[in-house]
Amino acid sequence: MNELTELAITEASELLARRSISAVDLAQATLRRIEETEPVVHAYATVLAEGALNAARQADAEIAEGRRRGPLHGIPVAVKDNMYTRGIPTEGGSRVLEDFVPAYDATVVDLLTKAGAVLMGKTVCHEFAYGVNEPPTRTPWDLTCYPGGSSIGSGVAVTVRSAFGALGSDTGGSIRIPAFINGIVGLKPTYGRVSSYGVLPLAWSLDHVGPLTRTVKDCALLLQAIAGRDPNDPNSADEPVPDFSADIEAGARGMRIGIEREYFFYEGVTDDVRLAVERVISEYAQQGAEIIEVKLPELEVTPDTLFTIMLAEASTYHRQMLREHGDRYDPATRANLQLGELIPATHYLSAQRARALFRSAMAALFKSQRLDAMLWPTMPLTTVPLADLYSPRKDGIAETPMVSYIHHTFSANLTGQPAISVPCGFSGSGLPIGFQLIGRPFAEATIFRLARAYEREHDWFTRKPAVKH
Amino acid sequence: MGYGRATSTEKLDPKVVQALAQRLGLKLSSEELKALTASLSNQLAAIKAIERFDLKHTVPVLRMDARWHE
């Protein structure tokens, strides 16, 4: 009964609440889907079949006794393998952590479990979420192409329906890039909105944990379960957590959306991405949103600023491990870690100054233009063959595809603003395209509302790639 | 294999990079030294982009707080 895995979380949740289906049905259908798809896409690092079935049985029993915990109770989910799971291997995609089994759960894993979600397994990620090695995971849209990263297995699992939702982490785009490439929804929440306790760090001041799902409403449900202050995480924010779904159907009318063209619609944006995102902008205007053209020249500093900070912070975290287990790192990760060690402290602090300047400019722009959100393509181009990722672009743009990808995602990590990637079509060659909405800090509800206003007029989220052996 | 955009035509002397790496306790193969010399040359050039705007009155982000204070 694989039709069950076609359900959105919201739909499955209603059926579970009415006891029209059971959590065991859902878990078994998901396990069958994992069996069908894993030989091709390799989204999972660890599958927890027995644990998932036990959790599903417990969910069914509690729901039958009238003790339903909420909308995620009995829903099959997955988490990125950089998140600690008590008694379950957590290797962060690295031989350095081979056979490492944490003694406790990451806060987000604990919260998902408390919400009654059924953990199907741990998803593959790039080594320590750095995004530079080549894991075995493939995107079902084209098995020869870059599947996104570093929350690569989370993106693919949701796409092939081997998880209803998944958690990822995002330091420079690692939730939104796989969301774009795989045609699903991915949210990087506000910095501090979701605890990072028990999540392997890449760069402390840039790391965010967030959900990947098929629909915007599902994304809001997952965020609801994991958001909130965590005393174990010093970067966790003491901000109230609203009901993210309360106004999700309120529409776009009256909302003010900023469009910056010089940087986000530069010559590196391909025609099919440009056209798809221009259509989104027009549609918001038709729905009654105000489209405001804005300028933000400080955007030019974002790629080098973020990369300098990320390199230095990552190398600080890995300093000891690099000396003790240097040969166990992938050569590409090791090269970045070596580079980060040689960045002068003055360059790191200058980058943090540029970041402060950029954050001030962004805040001033939102305030002066009374913006609710900004909108731009999540990435300037669709995915490319893996072999081309670090070669100059074939369309004459003087940068590699990887540099183009992060060109559009780094800024929200620097400011800490919430950013969501939403599917908005396909290229001529059938590859997914998405757009990004960036909101005010802690205003995830606003970008969910806008994202949903677009999504409910389209059926992109129902498109499913064939997975062929 | 990086994400940065900066490039530099002024390449560092590999001997300098090797000496620095050695002082820090990093073991480099000859291929790694060559790659690191090139990537470090580019990375150090990033400071020009980072300092493109006037930072005289800007205090660095020392603890990230996403809120916009009035």
Side-chain angles (χ1 to χ4, degrees), chain A residues 378-400:
Chain A
T378 304
M379 303 192 337
L381 72 162
T382 55
T383 189
V384 297
L386 275 158
D388 297 340
L389 197 56
Y390 293 102
S391 305
R393 278 174 60 169
K394 289 184 169 165
D395 55 6
I397 301 297
E399 59 192 28
T400 66

Side-chain angles (χ1 to χ4, degrees), chain A residues 324-388:
Chain A
E324 290 172 0
H325 308 291
D327 58 333
R328 298 180 76 82
Y329 286 90
D330 181 273
T333 309
R334 191 168 61 238
N336 268 6
L337 295 176
Q338 290 165 344
L339 176 60
E341 292 228 9
L342 298 179
I343 291 179
T346 49
H347 285 209
Y348 172 75
L349 286 166
S350 289
Q352 291 287 20
R353 291 174 88 188
R355 178 188 199 173
L357 179 91
F358 177 60
R359 290 187 65 223
S360 296
M362 181 69 90
L365 178 65
F366 264 74
K367 287 173 188 172
S368 66
Q369 299 296 323
R370 294 178 290 114
L371 299 179
D372 293 295
M374 287 180 72
L375 186 158
W376 59 77
T378 304
M379 303 192 337
L381 72 162
T382 55
T383 189
V384 297
L386 275 158
D388 297 340

Side-chain angles (χ1 to χ4, degrees), chain A residues 5-293:
Chain A
T5 59
E6 295 301 312
L7 297 169
I9 294 176
T10 46
E11 296 167 328
S13 185
E14 278 183 32
L15 293 172
L16 280 167
R18 293 206 304 263
R19 298 179 63 197
S20 302
I21 58 171
S22 72
V24 169
D25 291 338
L26 283 182
Q28 285 175 335
T30 305
L31 286 170
R32 279 196 296 275
R33 190 66 189 149
I34 289 172
E35 210 169 288
E36 286 166 11
T37 57
E38 274 304 292
V40 180
V41 299
H42 309 290
Y44 278 88
T46 307
V47 176
L48 303 166
E50 196 184 326
L53 287 171
N54 286 339
R57 283 186 205 105
Q58 187 186 339
D60 283 334
E62 289 179 2
I63 293 169
E65 290 163 9
R67 293 189 288 130
R68 183 170 176 261
R69 299 186 199 182
L72 294 185
H73 205 172
I75 300 294
V77 298
V79 300
K80 186 173 178 176
D81 198 30
N82 64 349
M83 297 172 187
Y84 277 27
T85 39
R86 183 164 52 95
I88 298 165
T90 300
E91 298 183 345
S94 180
R95 285 178 55 230
V96 175
L97 294 184
E98 206 163 24
D99 299 327
F100 170 61
V101 179
Y104 62 94
D105 282 334
T107 297
V108 286
V109 174
D110 185 45
L111 289 170
L112 277 182
T113 307
K114 283 179 177 154
V118 172
L119 185 60
M120 303 305 299
K122 309 288 296 286
T123 54
V124 172
C125 61
H126 282 84
E127 187 172 35
F128 289 106
Y130 223 139
V132 288
N133 65 313
E134 190 182 319
T137 310
R138 294 292 176 262
T139 175
W141 295 104
D142 186 334
L143 299 175
T144 68
C145 284
Y146 173 60
S150 63
S151 307
I152 177 175
S154 293
V156 170
V158 172
T159 305
V160 300
R161 282 54 167 171
S162 63
F164 282 67
L167 297 187
S169 61
D170 188 319
T171 304
S174 289
I175 288 174
R176 292 159 288 155
I177 291 171
F180 173 104
I181 286 176
N182 290 290
I184 58 171
V185 176
L187 172 81
K188 181 199 80 61
T190 310
Y191 185 84
R193 172 64 94 188
V194 174
S195 170
S196 289
Y197 178 70
V199 180
L200 293 166
L202 174 55
W204 299 283
S205 76
L206 299 164
D207 291 342
H208 301 68
V209 175
L212 296 101
T213 55
R214 282 173 51 212
T215 72
V216 174
K217 285 164 80 174
D218 287 358
C219 200
L221 288 182
L222 268 184
L223 180 64
Q224 199 74 53
I226 60 173
R229 167 100 177 108
D230 176 11
N232 286 323
D233 178 359
N235 294 317
S236 171
D238 193 9
E239 284 285 320
V241 177
D243 179 347
F244 296 114
S245 302
D247 292 327
I248 205 162
E249 299 288 3
R253 181 163 300 283
M255 305 287 263
R256 292 171 65 84
I257 303 174
I259 309 292
E260 193 284 340
R261 293 192 179 276
E262 197 166 323
Y263 183 89
F264 289 119
F265 290 83
Y266 77 129
E267 71 278 9
V269 179
T270 58
D271 289 345
D272 41 14
V273 171
R274 189 182 302 274
L275 185 64
V277 178
E278 290 291 359
R279 281 189 185 134
V280 174
I281 296 168
S282 301
E283 190 164 324
Y284 275 124
Q286 284 165 13
Q287 288 191 23
E290 282 187 67
I291 306 298
I292 297 131
E293 300 283 335

Side-chain angles (χ1 to χ4, degrees), chain B residues 26-55:
Chain B
L26 290 172
K27 290 178 193 156
L28 300 177
S29 66
S30 55
E31 292 82 19
E32 284 178 325
L33 175 61
K34 193 175 162 191
L36 181 58
T37 302
S39 61
L40 184 59
S41 300
N42 290 335
Q43 176 56 36
L44 293 179
I47 195 68
K48 286 179 193 157
I50 288 167
E51 293 181 341
R52 177 178 162 175
F53 295 93
D54 183 4
L55 299 175

